[in-house]
């Protein structure tokens, strides 16, 4: 299995290091965090190929990290005669006796380990050409990738070839899989498995008869008669229209996959994506030890994604799997404890969540755990009305900016336990805030329930003040008064109790009015404190 990946100067990664689980690894992160690059680097180390071709044929100045390239160019323009930067991808493997030929210290740690190295560096045979190249620094705009060569080695220094690659891998990306016009692997395997030789011969004979009959159709004869009249214009030989019945085109290669009677190319993107991934799993995952899957959720409905995730879990048992995703569903279903939050330098793991939390989200897999993971800061609230009011409070105190504009995500946990979400933020050391009602209890007692979390400096809990009401609505009334709220809501209630009852029975309507109002609104103290950070 793969234990660790170390990268230098490759694409988004200047200096990157990531440890892997033996089973499933779920890679998440913002756009350009490097999720796809991790899969690409692992696949490159295991296969020596990029975009389906040997890496030597894909060398480009744009493979190099932009920071490394800029630093190189700056020094060259200063007149320094330095070698161009190198790309290094080190893949550390488990210490297995079968992999002993790969063991050595030729890696970025300098320690004895088993692993594979891809090194892309300037070839010594181009030293003279490179010296001439840098003689005029002002003309140099890009790294001279033409002078580079590729080394594919074990940490021992022994060379690796496609045949000697120690681990088999399957890289599955539905956006790049192309099913051919002829029979795909799945159909051919069914034909081989379920048809005996006599049946195949009979089908082949019947298919050939059908094609021969094509030439006897009246419309085909008419076309051929007209083509015969062109003899001499293009060729002196007789030109006719027919179907190729040579052995080169067998009946199996003319089959086309259909879904509910529709040819594959006319099926929706979601069905095609699912079919391509499952066909790839059937074809490649059987013998592969490492499975790499790029964003399986693309184009899929909830039901289709549920089926696909179940199939991935079933077919990849006992294998090491790396999955990139932007889907909370995929994240929850395949296990939050497998999450790796990527950054340009490495990854942060959730680790072992408290008992019950992982199962909790697997059963309620539609919840927005990925929003928690990706936000710079999260504010957790109890319902949609709290969400709107907190967003208004944040906007009022942050120069008319909504929270999301500052990377702050206000998440309605829909009455669920705040502590389940805090288990995630605590593991990730994520700046997080809870805004909650006192529900008739002492605010100090409510806050005390979260003591295990608020012991962390990055987690705070803010509770509605004692005496100002049990929930958000009376807290708003206490902070603003009846006249101000009547004006905001377009009402004319004569007593606080009547207004309070209206607000409780129309929570979302009231919250929308507060959010949209152009009037100055005084927010309850606990909400002001929650958005102040």
């Amino acid at each position: 299995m793969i234990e660790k990946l170390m990268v230098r100067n490759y694409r988004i990664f200047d200096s990157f290091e990531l440890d892997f689980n033996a089973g499933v690894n779920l890679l998440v992160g913002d756009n350009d965090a490097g999720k796809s690059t991790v899969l690409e680097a692992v696949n490159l180390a295991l296969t020596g190929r990029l975009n389906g071709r040997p890496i030597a044929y894909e060398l480009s100045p744009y493979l190099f990290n932009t920071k490394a390239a800029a630093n190189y160019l700056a020094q060259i323009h200063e007149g320094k005669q330095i070698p161009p930067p190198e790309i290094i991808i080190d893949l550390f493997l488990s210490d297995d006796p079968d992999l002993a030929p790969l063991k050595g210290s030729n890696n970025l740690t300098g320690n004895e380990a088993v692993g594979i190295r891809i090194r892309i560096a300037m070839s010594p045979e181009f030293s003279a050409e490179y010296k001439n190249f840098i003689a005029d620094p002002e003309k140099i705009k890009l790294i001279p990738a033409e002078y580079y060569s590729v080394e594919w080695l074990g940490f021992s220094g022994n060379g690796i070839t496609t045949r000697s690659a120690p681990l088999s891998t399957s890289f599955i990306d539905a956006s790049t899989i192309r099913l051919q016009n002829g029979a795909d692997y799945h159909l051919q395997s069914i034909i081989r498995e379920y048809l005996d030789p006599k049946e195949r011969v009979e089908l082949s004979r019947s298919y050939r008869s059908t094609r021969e009959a094509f030439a006897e159709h009246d419309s085909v004869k008419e076309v051929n008669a007209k083509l015969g009249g062109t003899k001499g214009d293009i060729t002196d030989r007789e030109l006719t229209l027919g179907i190729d019945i040579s052995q080169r085109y067998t009946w199996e290669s003319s089959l086309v996959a259909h879904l509910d009677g529709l040819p594959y190319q006319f099926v929706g993107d979601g069905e095609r994506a699912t079919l391509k991934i499952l066909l790839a799993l059937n074809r490649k995952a059987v013998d592969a030890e490492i499975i790499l899957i790029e964003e399986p959720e693309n184009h899929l409905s909830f039901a289709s994604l549920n089926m696909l995730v179940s199939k991935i879990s079933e077919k990849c048992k006992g294998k090491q799997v790396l999955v990139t995703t932007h889907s909370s569903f995929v994240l929850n279903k395949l296990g939050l404890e497998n999450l790796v939050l990527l950054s340009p330098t490495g990854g942060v793991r959730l680790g072992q969540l408290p008992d019950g939390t992982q199962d909790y989200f697997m059963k309620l897999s539609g919840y927005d755990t990925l929003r928690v993971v990706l936000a710079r800061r999260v504010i957790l609230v109890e319902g949609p009305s709290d969400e709107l009011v907190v967003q208004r409070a944040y906007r009022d105190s942050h120069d008319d900016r909504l929270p999301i504009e500052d990377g702050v995500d206000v998440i309605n946990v829909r009455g669920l336990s705040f502590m389940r979400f805090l288990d995630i933020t605590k593991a990730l050391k994520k700046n997080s805030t809870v805004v909650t009602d006192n529900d008739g209890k002492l605010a100090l007692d409510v806050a005390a329930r979260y003591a295990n979390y608020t012991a962390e400096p990055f987690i705070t809990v803010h509770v509605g003040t004692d005496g100002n009401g049990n929930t958000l609505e009376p807290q708003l009334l206490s902070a603003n008064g009846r006249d101000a709220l009547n004006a905001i809501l377009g009402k004319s209630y004569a007593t606080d109790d009547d207004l309070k009852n209206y607000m409780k029975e129309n929570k979302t309507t009231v919250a929308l009015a507060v959010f949209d109002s152009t009037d100055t609104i005084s927010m309850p103290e606990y909400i002001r404190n929650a958005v102040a950070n």
Side-chain angles (χ1 to χ4, degrees):
M1 59 161 276
I2 303 169
E3 293 187 344
K4 178 164 61 178
L5 171 69
M6 297 183 73
V7 180
R8 297 291 184 271
N9 300 330
Y10 184 64
R11 295 200 187 269
I12 194 173
F13 298 139
D14 172 29
S15 179
F16 177 85
E17 181 175 338
L18 180 62
D19 294 326
F20 294 101
N21 288 332
V24 175
N25 297 264
L26 296 171
L27 309 181
V28 303
D30 286 331
N31 292 333
D32 294 327
K35 300 184 297 298
S36 298
T37 304
V38 169
L39 297 192
E40 187 176 278
V42 169
N43 190 60
L44 177 53
L46 291 174
T47 66
R49 304 176 77 85
L50 179 66
N51 301 325
R53 295 183 355 131
I55 179 61
Y57 297 112
E58 292 288 313
L59 293 184
S60 161
Y62 302 105
L63 291 181
F64 292 81
N65 175 261
T66 54
K67 180 180 176 181
N71 181 58
Y72 163 72
L73 293 173
Q75 293 190 66
I76 287 292
H77 293 160
E78 290 173 3
K80 298 178 181 177
Q81 295 193 1
I82 61 170
E86 299 180 355
I87 289 175
I88 293 177
I89 299 173
D90 282 349
L91 202 61
F92 293 75
L93 307 176
S94 54
D95 195 351
D96 188 297
D98 292 339
L99 302 180
L102 301 177
K103 192 168 186 177
S105 59
N106 184 32
N107 57 69
L108 289 167
T109 69
N111 299 323
E112 284 281 319
V114 174
I116 304 170
R117 159 170 284 205
I118 289 282
R119 179 174 176 259
I120 302 173
M122 195 186 77
S123 174
E125 66 179 290
F126 291 115
S127 296
E129 288 87 344
Y130 179 70
K131 187 174 182 180
N132 291 332
F133 173 75
I134 62 175
D136 189 355
E138 294 304 316
K139 291 184 178 180
I140 301 175
K141 306 298 181 184
L142 295 170
I143 290 174
E146 298 81 5
Y147 300 147
Y148 279 71
S149 62
V150 178
E151 296 177 353
W152 191 16
L153 309 169
F155 287 173
S156 59
N158 297 327
I160 296 175
T161 65
T162 302
R163 289 191 176 187
S164 66
L167 295 176
S168 59
T169 183
S170 173
F171 194 166
I172 299 172
D173 180 356
S175 66
T176 62
I177 297 172
R178 298 287 182 267
L179 291 185
Q180 300 176 351
N181 291 330
D184 56 57
Y185 175 89
H186 186 56
L187 289 178
Q188 291 187 24
S189 66
I190 290 175
I191 291 168
R192 287 193 296 269
E193 181 175 355
Y194 292 104
L195 298 183
D196 62 37
K198 288 184 178 180
E199 289 172 320
R200 294 188 65 187
V201 168
E202 182 61 25
L203 275 175
S204 179
R205 188 203 61 76
S206 177
Y207 180 71
R208 177 172 293 199
S209 296
T210 300
R211 293 199 294 182
E212 290 171 345
F214 176 82
E216 301 302 317
H217 196 279
D218 290 343
S219 59
V220 177
K221 288 182 177 179
E222 185 177 345
V223 169
N224 285 335
K226 291 179 179 179
L227 287 173
T230 65
K231 187 175 180 179
D233 293 342
I234 300 174
T235 176
D236 290 333
R237 305 180 69 176
E238 184 178 2
L239 180 64
T240 58
L241 175 68
I243 297 178
D244 190 340
I245 58 173
S246 66
Q247 291 298 316
R248 187 164 61 93
Y249 293 102
T250 64
W251 63 277
E252 294 102 325
S253 65
S254 297
L255 298 179
V256 177
H258 285 63
L259 295 179
D260 289 340
L262 283 176
Y264 170 79
Q265 62 267 33
F266 293 101
V267 177
D269 286 341
E271 288 288 350
R272 282 193 286 174
T274 301
L275 181 61
K276 287 192 287 187
I277 291 174
L278 292 179
L279 287 174
L281 281 172
N282 282 341
R283 182 175 185 178
K284 300 178 181 180
V286 174
D287 299 319
E289 297 158 291
I290 311 295
I291 311 295
L292 313 174
I293 304 177
E294 179 83 36
E295 295 185 8
E297 68 270 15
N298 285 346
H299 302 297
L300 298 187
S301 68
F302 183 86
S304 296
L305 185 56
N306 185 38
M307 182 272 288
L308 180 59
V309 170
S310 297
K311 290 289 186 182
I312 290 173
S313 299
E314 172 190 333
K315 294 179 180 297
C316 296
K317 282 181 180 177
K319 302 177 186 295
Q320 190 172 29
V321 184
L322 279 61
V323 181
T324 66
T325 186
H326 282 115
S327 166
S328 286
F329 182 90
V330 173
L331 176 62
N332 295 342
K333 281 293 187 184
L334 292 182
L336 285 167
E337 85 283 5
N338 299 318
L339 178 144
V340 183
L341 176 59
L342 291 182
S343 74
T345 59
V348 177
R349 288 187 176 276
L350 280 183
Q352 187 60 47
L353 291 171
D355 290 343
T357 295
Q358 180 189 344
D359 289 341
Y360 183 84
F361 283 109
M362 287 184 73
K363 293 172 183 174
L364 301 170
S365 53
Y367 287 100
D368 297 320
T369 46
L370 201 58
R371 290 173 60 188
V372 176
V373 171
L374 296 181
R376 179 182 65 80
R377 174 192 173 203
V378 294
I379 301 177
L380 303 173
V381 300
E382 293 185 71
S385 55
D386 306 77
E387 181 181 352
L388 288 165
V389 172
V390 167
Q391 293 212 49
R392 168 62 191 263
Y394 188 98
R395 188 179 69 192
D396 288 348
S397 61
H398 290 79
D399 299 324
D400 208 33
R401 294 192 312 278
L402 287 171
I404 200 65
E405 296 177 62
D406 293 333
V408 179
D409 206 343
V410 181
I411 300 175
N412 164 23
V413 301
R414 288 165 275 186
L416 302 178
S417 171
F418 286 113
M419 294 182 185
R420 301 296 188 183
F421 288 87
L422 292 179
D423 285 338
I424 298 174
T425 65
K426 183 177 180 180
L428 292 175
K429 301 188 184 304
K430 177 81 61 178
N431 192 334
S432 48
T433 299
V434 169
V435 178
T436 184
D437 299 327
N438 61 53
D439 293 324
K441 302 178 180 66
L442 292 176
L444 287 176
D445 290 342
V446 175
R449 294 174 53 208
Y450 298 92
N452 288 337
Y453 301 97
T454 53
E456 304 289 350
F458 49 85
I459 297 177
T460 59
V461 173
H462 302 273
V463 187
T465 311
D466 302 337
N468 291 338
N470 299 346
T471 60
L472 173 64
E473 290 73 27
Q475 294 279 343
L476 280 171
L477 180 57
S478 176
N480 291 275
R482 177 166 24 97
D483 291 341
L485 279 181
N486 269 332
I488 291 168
L489 302 176
K491 303 296 178 181
S492 55
Y493 288 102
T495 69
D496 286 356
D497 286 343
D498 288 343
L499 178 54
K500 193 184 302 181
N501 289 335
Y502 169 79
M503 293 174 70
K504 287 182 178 180
E505 292 172 1
N506 299 274
K507 288 175 174 286
T508 305
T509 300
V510 169
L512 280 169
V514 169
F515 182 83
D516 291 333
S517 176
T518 57
D519 294 347
T520 300
I521 297 176
S522 297
M523 289 294 170
E525 181 182 13
Y526 74 106
I527 291 180
R528 293 202 309 272
N529 292 338
V531 301
N533 297 334

